[in-house]
C-alpha cells in the first residue's frame, strides 16, 4: 500500500494550505487516517485523525484552525490548515490504518512527508 501526500509549501503567517494524501494498493478497508507532523529538532506528534465514520481528533495547538476530512471512496484524507503560524512549520506525514482483506490484521501505512514552512 502506498500513501502519496501533496500540498505542502511556503506560506506567510495567517495564510492557508490544504494537504492531500491518497492511499492506493491492496486495500480492503481503511479505518483511521490522519496527519502527524515533525518540526525541526522535535519529536513527531499527532496533528489530527479521522475515522471511517467521520469522528475527528486534533492536537490542542491546531484546534479551531485545522480541519481534517476524508473521501472514503477515494481513500483520501485532507488537512485544511488555516491561520497558519510559524510554529506549524514541520514535515507533515499522512497515516492510514488499513486492512488488505476481511481476515487481515490492521496495518499501518505512512506517506513520504510533505514540508510546510510558515514564515513570520
Amino acid at each position: 500500500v502506498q500513501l502519496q501526500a501533496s500540498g505542502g509549501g511556503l506560506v506567510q503567517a495567517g495564510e492557508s494550505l490544504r494537504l492531500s494524501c491518497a492511499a492506493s494498493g491492496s486495500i480492503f478497508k481503511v479505518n483511521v487516517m490522519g496527519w502527524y507532523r515533525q518540526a525541526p529538532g522535535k519529536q513527531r506528534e499527532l496533528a489530527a485523525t479521522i475515522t471511517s465514520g467521520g469522528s475527528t481528533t486534533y492536537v490542542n495547538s491546531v484546534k479551531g484552525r485545522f480541519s481534517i476530512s476524508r473521501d472514503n471512496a477515494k481513500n483520501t484524507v485532507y488537512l485544511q490548515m488555516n491561520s497558519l503560524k510559524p510554529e506549524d512549520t514541520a514535515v507533515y506525514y499522512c497515516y492510514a490504518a488499513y486492512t488488505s482483506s476481511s481476515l487481515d490484521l490492521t496495518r499501518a501505512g505512512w506517506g513520504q512527508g510533505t514540508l510546510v514552512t510558515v514564515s513570520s
Side-chain angles (χ1 to χ4, degrees), residues 32-79:
V32 177
M33 301 188 82
W35 293 91
Y36 284 71
R37 64 184 185 179
Q38 187 166 18
K42 295 187 178 181
Q43 291 189 335
R44 189 176 298 190
E45 68 169 358
L46 177 64
T49 64
I50 184 168
T51 67
S52 57
S55 296
T56 59
T57 61
Y58 298 93
V59 67
N60 285 338
S61 59
V62 308
K63 286 182 179 178
R65 300 186 298 120
F66 289 13
S67 178
I68 188 170
S69 60
R70 63 189 282 175
D71 184 332
N72 290 332
K74 296 180 179 179
N75 290 328
T76 299
V77 63
Y78 307 95
L79 187 67

Side-chain angles (χ1 to χ4, degrees), residues 3 23 30-34 94-98 107-110:
L3 278 75
V30 179
N31 298 312
V32 177
M33 301 188 82
C94 60
Y95 162 84
Y98 68 94
R107 302 172 187 267
W110 292 91

Side-chain angles (χ1 to χ4, degrees), residues 93-116:
Y93 298 90
C94 60
Y95 162 84
Y98 68 94
T99 56
S100 293
S101 74
S102 61
L103 302 177
D104 194 20
L105 297 175
T106 299
R107 302 172 187 267
W110 292 91
Q112 81 281 14
T114 185
L115 177 62
V116 173

Side-chain angles (χ1 to χ4, degrees), residues 1 3 5-7 11 21 23-24 26-27 38 46 50 59 67-68 71 88 92 97 99 119-120:
V1 172
L3 278 75
S6 62
V11 296
C21 178
S24 62
S26 181
I27 297 172
Q38 187 166 18
L46 177 64
I50 184 168
V59 67
S67 178
I68 188 170
D71 184 332
D88 294 319
Y92 284 71
T99 56
S119 63
S120 59

